[in-house]
Amino acid sequence: MDEDQQHFVEEFGLALEQAGLPRMVGRIWGYLLISDPPHQSAESLAKALQASRGSISTTTRSLMQMGLIDKVSFPGERRDYFRIRPGVWADLLEQRARIVSDWRRLAERGLATMSSEDAESRRRIQEMHDVMAFYERELPALTERWRKEGMKGTA
């Protein structure tokens, strides 16, 4: 990796860490986004990221369980490789849309528990509900548009 690529990988790690994931999850995922070839062995990940094999093993297992990367193998080779799972970005947004629906339902339950006299609290929960309902309506349409339009350029 050149210096700019190293910075990208580290920034990706920090971004995912800020989102609540281990930094190494972001570092591996960031590296797989820019690596050539797009599939990398555990050994090459460890070398490129200056990380232990144990850390790479644990993190790639987590990334596979999250559905973010795939393990692939090639005929005649004994080692496994990891790559970004095709279609992962749209799938992530679909997962987020399900979370938004959960938050909207939670806001509805909160509104049902409130009396009409508690106007300020009701306003805060109503805002939560309205924002979540908006995104719940809009995210599926955006994801569908992406699947129809955006994937043409990545095929």
Side-chain angles (χ1 to χ4, degrees):
M1 280 191 292
D2 66 27
E3 190 174 327
D4 287 338
Q5 290 172 324
Q6 288 174 341
H7 285 295
F8 171 78
V9 167
E10 292 306 317
E11 285 179 48
F12 211 88
L14 288 172
L16 266 63
E17 184 178 58
Q18 289 175 346
L21 294 170
R23 186 180 299 188
M24 185 56 75
V25 166
R27 292 181 73 220
I28 289 176
W29 206 22
Y31 182 69
L32 288 174
L33 283 169
I34 64 170
S35 66
D36 186 27
H39 56 274
Q40 297 290 315
S41 68
E43 295 82 13
S44 63
L45 289 169
K47 183 178 177 185
L49 300 174
Q50 299 175 0
S52 71
R53 284 289 312 264
S55 177
I56 297 298
S57 176
T58 300
T59 306
T60 53
R61 191 175 320 112
S62 293
L63 283 161
M64 286 187 300
Q65 289 170 346
M66 288 186 269
L68 302 177
I69 66 172
D70 288 333
K71 183 189 288 190
V72 294
S73 61
F74 299 100
E77 291 198 35
R78 292 180 45 168
R79 68 174 49 144
D80 293 320
Y81 295 88
F82 303 96
R83 67 171 184 193
I84 299 290
R85 190 174 56 72
V88 71
W89 296 106
D91 291 347
L92 279 174
L93 288 176
E94 285 179 341
Q95 289 173 358
R96 296 300 174 247
R98 288 189 291 274
I99 292 168
V100 165
S101 295
D102 292 343
W103 281 90
R104 191 235 344 121
R105 284 190 292 275
L106 183 60
E108 286 176 357
R109 288 195 298 277
L111 287 168
T113 69
M114 305 191 76
S115 68
S116 59
E117 297 89 46
D118 200 0
E120 181 59 27
S121 296
R122 184 174 253 319
R123 184 198 60 73
R124 290 191 306 263
I125 294 179
Q126 186 67 53
E127 178 184 9
M128 172 189 172
H129 174 272
D130 294 349
V131 168
M132 295 305 150
F134 174 82
Y135 280 101
E136 185 177 27
R137 284 189 314 270
E138 298 299 322
L139 282 175
L142 287 172
T143 302
E144 185 59 29
R145 275 184 46 209
W146 166 253
R147 291 196 189 280
K148 288 180 180 174
E149 296 175 24
M151 293 300 289
K152 292 175 189 172
T154 60

